[in-house]
Amino acid sequence: VGSEMCIRDSFRYSWPHRSGGDRDLAVHRALLLALLLAPTLVFPSPAEIEKPTTTSLSELAWIAGSWIGGEGETFIEERWSRPEGKEMIGTFRMLEAGEPVFYEFMRLASEPQGIVLRIKHFSADLTAWEDAAETVDFELEHASDDHALFVTTTDGARETLTYRRTGEGLEVVLDKPAKGTTSTFVFRRP
């Protein structure tokens, strides 16, 4: 009988509605009301929380134009069209000792999820790095008058591509922390 009493008492105290106080009943009613009303509350979706501050490509027009750079025997060139319609088109090329190393074709576009930068890479002989229907996609996370931060996830790891206006120049930084690499490209007007 003693052990039965302990089990019964333990059961009674583990279930607040069994303890019998008005306070417990009021708490349970409040919790039940909160559970019933919870579906009517409006919470922002993750996409709305992380929505970029820039919603118009015209705010990224400072990227447009021709940019050149390089160091030693390495020459780099990036060109961007001005915003037209809902897109900007860009190209990139890298030469080493006058010989092509690789190319990129880029499309910066206003899409339903926000502004997206899609990149397609090509070897010197124009062989695509990605499969025919694939691109490397970066979504705009933040932008200002002289800075644009794009993000993507590769193999579960966050990677960033930053465009930054530096006076009359342009700096592009590709950061891949999981791989331990950061590539910085410094450009100037030709």
Side-chain angles (χ1 to χ4, degrees):
V1 172
S3 64
E4 272 183 33
M5 184 61 98
C6 290
I7 292 171
R8 208 176 308 129
D9 288 345
S10 159
F11 178 79
R12 180 173 45 194
Y13 292 114
S14 67
W15 293 89
H17 67 277
R18 297 275 188 163
S19 64
D22 288 339
R23 191 179 114 225
D24 288 338
L25 185 58
V27 167
H28 284 273
R29 284 183 180 161
L31 286 173
L32 180 60
L33 181 62
L35 287 172
L36 291 173
L37 293 177
T40 65
L41 297 175
V42 178
F43 295 102
S45 70
E48 291 171 323
I49 292 171
E50 298 173 10
K51 198 170 225 174
T53 56
T54 299
T55 56
S56 170
L57 280 177
S58 64
E59 295 176 60
L60 297 174
W62 54 268
I63 296 173
S66 295
W67 302 95
I68 61 170
E71 188 174 308
E73 293 197 10
T74 302
F75 173 79
I76 54 176
E77 180 179 35
E78 187 157 320
R79 294 173 184 256
W80 282 98
S81 67
R82 67 179 204 276
E84 197 62 49
K86 293 185 176 188
E87 68 180 11
M88 293 173 69
I89 299 298
T91 59
F92 172 88
R93 70 177 175 151
M94 177 183 282
L95 304 174
E96 187 72 40
E99 296 295 320
V101 177
F102 76 96
Y103 305 100
E104 293 176 341
F105 182 78
M106 301 171 284
R107 179 177 182 255
L108 189 53
S110 182
E111 298 185 4
Q113 70 268 33
I115 294 177
V116 177
L117 172 58
R118 297 188 189 282
I119 305 173
K120 189 93 169 160
H121 298 87
F122 299 90
S123 296
D125 65 358
L126 294 180
T127 302
W129 294 6
E130 295 85 16
D131 288 336
E134 291 181 2
T135 55
V136 178
D137 300 343
F138 289 85
E139 292 188 12
L140 179 66
E141 184 174 272
H142 171 76
S144 67
D145 292 341
D146 62 357
H147 178 242
L149 174 65
F150 296 90
V151 298
T152 192
T153 303
T154 302
D155 298 326
R158 176 184 163 100
E159 296 178 357
T160 62
L161 183 63
T162 305
Y163 278 78
R164 183 176 298 113
R165 193 71 190 263
T166 56
E168 293 300 312
L170 180 69
E171 180 181 80
V172 180
V173 179
L174 176 60
D175 190 25
K176 299 180 176 187
K179 294 180 180 176
T181 63
T182 299
S183 301
T184 302
F185 302 93
V186 179
F187 297 93
R188 67 185 185 287
R189 296 284 187 192

